[in-house]
Amino acid sequence: MPLNPREQRFLTFCTAIALIVIGITVPIKKRVDRIVEHRLKAVMAERVVWNCEGCRAKPLIPVTGQPHQPRAWASLKDIPQQLIDSVIAVEDKRFYKHHGIDLYRTLGAAYIGVKHRESPRGTSTLTQQLSRTLFTSRERTLTRKAKEGLFALALERRLKKKEILELYLNTVPFGNAGPYEIVGVADGALAFTGKNIADVNVADIALIAGVIQRPSYLNPRSHPEAANRRRDLVLKIMRKAGVIDAQVEAQAVATPVRLAELPAENGHYLQLAARELRRVVNANEPVETTLTLDARLQQLGVEAVSRGVDMLNRKAKSGARIEAALVALDPRTGAVKALVGGSSFAASQVNRALARRQPGSVFKPFVYAAAMEYGSRDGALGPYSEVNDIPRTFFFNGKVYAPRNYSGEYQGRITLQEALNRSLNIPAVRVAEAVGYSRVATLARNAGLEGVAATPSAALGSYEVSPLALAGAYTAFTNQGMALKPYLVERVRGWDGNTLYEASPKSASVMRPETAQMLTNMLRGVVLNGTAYLAGRLPFAAAGKTGTDDDGWFVGFTDRLLCVIWVGYDDNRDLGLQGATSALPIWIDFMSRAYKMSSYRFANRLPGPPAQMYGSFSNVDRDPPPDAFTEVSALDTPVLGEQLLRSSR
């Protein structure tokens, strides 16, 4: 039967309305789908499993709040089913029946809202909550609610319910705990209970599920009473939903809430590891990352720094707080085994292992290395070459430089070995002058100490370096003249098991093996007979150098571990203590405890074969007049008259 004109007009109107709706919604749908696809890729790429030696005993909580920081991720199969069921029971009991928006729940909330003349609440499904986390904000506006609904529908079209659950449980916010931004149930379990997600009990599950509703108010660290009441309410909901029975509920209610201490000792290391991970792998997929960290050694480092800082602050007269940093690495590879950026990560997230400070006398070994490597205009130099330790004014580029020995005492003629043992300033600058300031600076820069300039003051460590860079530079002595670049990421694998990145030690040639061996033995002399004599009492062979500027330093190493300690004030004020009394005790505390671990059972020998002591008894005491000064390195003279000398003591 043909349509009458009225019916035709009505059909035309409906068709036009449909076309308009399609014309509007199709572009919106495509745009929403593009946004969802892009954001999901980014979220998936943040899925990181952290592995390291000893990490099973010491869980790692990545510190968030920065774009470079990856998240720990728990797959759905690793999350207890009771936790999944409790979240669904509390937050969205019709989760498996709706397609992103629960119309029944929305209409019911709207009716109650109209009846009581208030805005509808509690209408968001898990999918809508996930949309809010990933795509919108938490502002209470109709526009935000509409966007949230569109994204929820898009997520339900693209993902299975299990995938939505895994995304939700790993991205749901739990508020802050000290310096940590807790995101996802895996971090929530660690932050609140100290347990891995697979090990939580029913009381833990209720506590975690309860925080989701209002993280800022129900966080058990900041609002323990409210969190406890909420936990008990969640247990009741779990019992009514059939997740647990009445007996289990009663036992869980009777269980007191005991919050775990946050494992803040890994914070500075993980911040740096996260940056390195993003630098070495441009991953657009989940990754499994193996770190160089030894969690047990890290714990020893944290404890040594904490004890040392507490002791120094008790004795200090200044109102400011003394701080410290520790870097320990494998001298054979450059792998960073422990890194402590301060006495308390919870109190300050400033990573002092990266802070650039004047190294003082811990730089002097690079001066003597240049002497052994290049010699002077008068011939080759060795540990038993002599230098005149008397007050001296140096002239460079029209400027006067007049250093003094720290003690104010002068020894007259002295060997380079004894000058290093006593950390004397005048001999170090004399040697740098004779070898050539630019040669000293170039050798230091080749070792990784950027920014060292060719000036007399460089010999006394006037150019700032970081503890991490200094640790890498000292590997030139332990590694046959090759300086190793410190690294924290050992290996990265994709979710499919394919290797995306494998670390290989990066090295730079700094000096001959013979030079490295001589310096290692000279630094052993500092420990046996010099400013670091306290370390000579340890039951293993160690070598190292103290340093004192405004700060205190000690760098020491064995055949298996190299450790740098820095001590000072954050505001650069003078510590007023020598490295031997500020940094060295922390080093001894750390290394003596590390020695008890089977992995670091140091040998009674130092890295490399016995040193061959090359050089001559050339004197380093010629004083060129100011108007005739020419830097030796500019002459580019070869090392002269090398002779085999007796081996080191």
Side-chain angles (χ1 to χ4, degrees):
M1 179 183 296
L3 299 175
N4 60 44
R6 185 176 179 180
E7 290 173 333
Q8 288 179 346
R9 286 195 299 272
F10 178 75
L11 182 60
T12 302
F13 174 77
C14 290
T15 302
I17 293 296
L19 290 173
I20 292 172
V21 170
I22 292 172
I24 294 173
T25 58
V26 168
I28 292 176
K29 177 179 175 296
K30 288 182 178 180
R31 183 181 177 190
V32 168
D33 286 344
R34 284 197 301 270
I35 295 172
V36 168
E37 181 179 6
H38 176 76
R39 183 71 179 109
L40 285 180
K41 283 183 178 180
V43 172
M44 293 297 184
E46 293 176 354
R47 296 166 60 176
V48 176
V49 171
W50 297 100
N51 294 321
C52 78
E53 188 174 352
C55 282
R56 290 188 179 276
K58 288 286 182 184
L60 305 180
I61 300 182
V63 183
T64 57
Q66 300 184 37
H68 62 262
Q69 180 61 54
R71 296 299 320 151
W73 196 277
S75 62
L76 201 62
K77 63 181 177 61
D78 295 328
I79 300 174
Q81 188 61 45
Q82 282 186 328
L83 176 55
I84 297 171
D85 293 341
S86 67
V87 171
I88 291 174
V90 173
E91 295 294 325
D92 186 4
K93 60 185 178 182
R94 287 174 45 82
F95 174 71
Y96 291 106
K97 297 180 180 179
H98 62 69
H99 299 286
I101 299 175
D102 189 345
L103 293 177
Y104 291 100
R105 189 174 175 184
T106 301
L107 291 173
Y111 171 75
I112 293 173
V114 170
K115 183 177 180 180
H116 295 283
R117 296 183 179 181
E118 60 183 24
S119 299
R121 295 184 179 217
T123 63
S124 293
T125 64
L126 288 184
T127 316
Q128 286 175 282
Q129 292 180 42
L130 177 61
S131 299
R132 184 188 312 150
T133 299
L134 298 182
F135 306 109
T136 66
S137 65
R138 303 190 72 86
E139 60 180 348
R140 298 177 61 83
T141 64
L142 290 175
T143 301
R144 191 269 295 169
K145 201 69 177 175
K147 290 180 180 179
E148 185 182 289
L150 284 173
F151 285 120
L153 294 172
L155 285 172
E156 292 274 353
R157 286 197 308 272
R158 296 179 62 86
L159 303 175
K160 297 177 181 178
K161 288 289 186 177
K162 286 186 176 181
E163 293 173 324
I164 291 173
L165 267 177
E166 184 170 313
L167 261 175
Y168 175 85
L169 291 170
N170 281 284
T171 58
V172 62
F174 282 91
N176 295 325
Y180 296 102
E181 179 188 350
I182 307 302
V183 178
V185 293
D187 280 1
L190 286 172
F192 301 143
T193 72
K195 301 176 184 177
N196 287 316
I197 188 64
D199 300 327
V200 293
N201 58 34
V202 171
D204 300 330
I205 286 171
L207 181 70
I208 294 166
V211 176
I212 293 174
Q213 185 190 55
R214 295 176 66 188
S216 59
Y217 177 68
L218 298 172
N219 188 315
R221 291 193 173 276
S222 52
H223 298 88
E225 293 182 1
N228 194 64
R229 288 194 299 269
R230 177 66 178 172
R231 182 201 68 168
D232 293 349
L233 176 60
V234 169
L235 287 168
K236 184 181 293 185
I237 295 172
M238 291 170 67
R239 191 248 307 157
K240 288 182 178 179
V243 178
I244 57 174
D245 58 30
Q247 183 179 357
V248 173
E249 178 194 2
Q251 291 174 344
V253 168
T255 302
V257 176
R258 291 190 178 93
L259 296 179
E261 184 176 342
L262 285 172
E265 64 268 13
N266 299 315
H268 290 115
Y269 181 100
L270 282 174
Q271 280 187 331
L272 192 56
R275 293 192 186 102
E276 185 171 314
L277 175 62
R278 287 299 184 236
R279 188 169 63 250
V280 300
V281 174
N282 186 18
N284 56 2
E285 61 174 310
V287 294
E288 179 181 3
T289 303
T290 300
L291 301 172
T292 61
L293 178 72
D294 185 329
R296 296 162 301 176
L297 195 68
Q298 175 78 4
Q299 181 66 32
L300 295 182
V302 169
E303 292 171 356
V305 167
S306 178
R307 281 191 292 265
V309 165
D310 287 346
M311 178 189 68
L312 291 168
N313 278 296
R314 284 197 300 269
K315 295 180 178 180
K317 297 179 181 179
S318 170
R321 181 170 175 79
I322 296 171
E323 274 296 347
L326 176 150
V327 177
L329 52 76
D330 187 330
R332 301 161 295 186
T333 64
V336 178
K337 311 301 288 185
L339 185 145
V340 183
S343 61
S344 171
F345 180 79
S348 172
Q349 289 78 65
V350 174
N351 194 342
R352 297 164 187 87
L354 304 179
R356 294 175 62 86
R357 308 294 285 259
Q358 291 184 343
S361 294
V362 290
F363 183 82
K364 288 174 182 173
F366 298 97
V367 175
Y368 292 105
M372 311 299 154
E373 184 74 5
Y374 301 113
S376 72
R377 69 178 73 182
D378 293 327
L381 297 172
Y384 304 113
S385 298
E386 293 184 336
V387 62
N388 209 3
D389 177 33
I390 58 175
R392 160 80 191 282
T393 298
F394 297 85
F395 298 89
F396 181 76
N397 287 345
K399 296 181 180 179
V400 175
Y401 182 58
R404 295 289 181 266
N405 286 342
Y406 185 85
S407 65
E409 298 177 354
Y410 300 89
Q411 308 302 316
R413 301 205 63 78
I414 193 171
T415 65
L416 302 192
Q417 175 72 68
E418 190 63 23
L420 184 63
N421 286 354
R422 299 190 182 196
S423 198
L424 301 174
N425 290 339
I426 297 296
V429 183
R430 278 184 178 272
V431 169
E433 179 191 55
V435 174
Y437 301 129
S438 67
R439 280 177 169 164
V440 172
T442 299
L443 184 143
R445 290 196 295 266
N446 288 342
L449 300 180
E450 300 176 355
V452 176
T455 64
S457 66
L460 305 184
S462 63
Y463 293 97
E464 295 178 338
V465 300
S466 71
L468 182 62
L470 195 60
Y474 261 70
T475 61
F477 306 131
T478 68
N479 198 47
Q480 299 295 292
M482 305 293 291
L484 297 163
K485 184 176 182 180
Y487 66 96
L488 294 81
V489 176
E490 190 74 55
R491 186 181 304 106
V492 183
R493 288 194 176 101
W495 232 237
D496 55 5
N498 291 330
T499 299
L500 304 177
Y501 172 78
E502 187 87 36
S504 58
K506 295 179 175 60
S507 61
S509 179
V510 178
M511 63 190 78
R512 295 171 300 160
E514 297 90 342
T515 300
Q517 292 161 25
M518 282 191 284
L519 261 296
T520 293
N521 279 274
M522 290 181 73
L523 291 169
R524 175 64 173 156
V526 175
V527 169
L528 292 176
N529 304 303
T531 56
Y533 71 92
L534 290 175
R537 302 174 182 175
L538 295 171
F540 51 83
K545 183 69 187 75
T546 57
T548 306
D549 196 83
D550 287 345
D551 310 324
W553 293 84
F554 184 72
V555 185
F557 55 87
T558 66
D559 62 323
R560 296 192 185 183
L561 201 61
L562 186 155
C563 179
V564 175
I565 304 292
W566 166 86
V567 177
Y569 289 105
D570 287 339
D571 60 4
N572 287 294
R573 72 179 66 189
D574 189 355
L575 179 64
L577 295 171
Q578 297 182 44
T581 55
S582 59
L584 179 57
I586 298 175
W587 187 91
I588 292 173
D589 184 5
F590 172 71
M591 294 293 280
S592 60
R593 293 172 189 272
Y595 176 66
K596 297 177 182 178
M597 299 172 61
S598 59
S599 302
Y600 305 99
R601 188 57 60 117
F602 314 129
N604 285 319
R605 59 178 175 80
L606 293 172
Q612 297 293 311
M613 308 299 279
Y614 293 99
S616 73
F617 286 104
S618 301
N619 295 327
V620 189
D621 59 0
R622 293 204 314 159
D623 298 339
D627 57 349
F629 180 83
T630 304
E631 190 181 356
V632 177
S633 60
L635 301 177
D636 198 24
T637 55
V639 176
L640 303 175
E642 290 189 340
Q643 297 176 332
L644 182 62
L645 297 183
R646 53 195 167 97
S647 61
S648 67
R649 289 173 289 178

